[in-house]
Amino acid sequence: SEVYFFGAVGQDKVGNMLLENFQAYGIDINGVNVTNSNLSGIAYITIDSKGDNTILYVPGANLNAKASQIPDYFFNENTVFLIQMEINPAENWKLVHKAKERGARVILNLAPMKHIPVEIIHSIDVLIMNETEALMLAKTIGIETNDFDKIAEYVSTSFKNTCIITLGQNGV
């Protein structure tokens, strides 16, 4: 498959490393803006003795990414469009609408967690969340449970999508 990456990185060591890594794996990075106005975002991941992780996320240049960076012709019935929440949510939602209008399959990893409108959840084909994000989403959509199986089942049934909740050392 052809893989294209869109977003933004800073003109810094982290941004250069990211772009070099993508290129080494054959990922097309022509849709990545390199900016002097922000540093690249970064996440620090720690894992405790139980296998649970904690992520410290420092946003960066990707907050300046725009939906307009992705030409319409990228979206069609053969497109699998994977997004996450490092960019402005309003830009993500524009892309979700554009992708669905053109028949693309949309996968959203809800990290780092931000509010997601119910109408968008209906447009997502696959929703991926960790435990914390799942509990936050459950509260937002009125599910009164801490049971991850019940949350996943409710989301999948109510929104007609596939819901994946990652459970740290316990898998998914």
Side-chain angles (χ1 to χ4, degrees):
S1 296
E2 295 176 5
V3 178
Y4 301 87
F5 191 89
F6 294 89
V9 296
Q11 191 167 353
D12 53 34
K13 185 176 180 177
V14 171
N16 292 337
M17 181 182 69
L18 289 168
L19 295 177
E20 288 172 11
N21 191 44
F22 291 154
Q23 285 181 307
Y25 284 97
I27 297 171
D28 185 312
I29 57 169
N30 288 318
V32 178
N33 289 337
V34 178
T35 178
N36 288 323
S37 60
N38 293 91
L39 295 174
S40 298
I42 194 161
Y44 299 95
I45 304 170
T46 63
I47 301 174
D48 67 18
S49 61
K50 296 178 185 174
D52 292 325
N53 69 35
T54 302
I55 302 171
L56 172 63
Y57 166 64
V58 180
N62 239 0
L63 288 174
N64 296 320
K66 301 290 182 208
S68 60
Q69 286 176 241
I70 305 178
D72 289 351
Y73 66 83
F74 273 95
F75 298 106
N76 60 59
E77 63 280 348
N78 296 316
T79 302
V80 176
F81 181 57
L82 172 64
I83 55 176
Q84 45 68 36
M85 300 301 295
E86 287 184 24
I87 71 169
N88 179 317
E91 297 299 316
N92 262 350
W93 310 153
K94 288 178 194 175
L95 290 166
V96 168
H97 289 298
K98 186 189 296 190
K100 292 310 288 184
E101 286 171 2
R102 290 169 175 76
R105 183 168 169 80
V106 177
I107 301 171
L108 171 63
N109 187 317
L110 201 50
M113 176 67 178
K114 293 187 177 117
H115 174 72
I116 178 172
V118 171
E119 72 171 78
I120 296 296
I121 302 171
H122 282 287
S123 299
I124 303 298
D125 296 293
V126 180
L127 179 61
I128 304 168
M129 305 174 281
N130 67 23
E131 295 161 290
T132 304
E133 295 154 354
L135 292 174
M136 292 171 72
L137 179 68
K139 186 180 287 187
T140 299
I141 60 178
I143 303 171
E144 297 293 329
T145 184
N146 291 341
D147 182 312
F148 297 114
D149 288 330
K150 288 181 181 175
I151 295 170
E153 182 179 350
Y154 180 89
V155 171
S156 291
T157 302
S158 300
F159 298 101
K160 308 291 187 250
N161 61 25
T162 299
C163 179
I164 299 170
I165 301 175
T166 60
L167 304 172
Q169 70 177 7
N170 296 318
V172 295

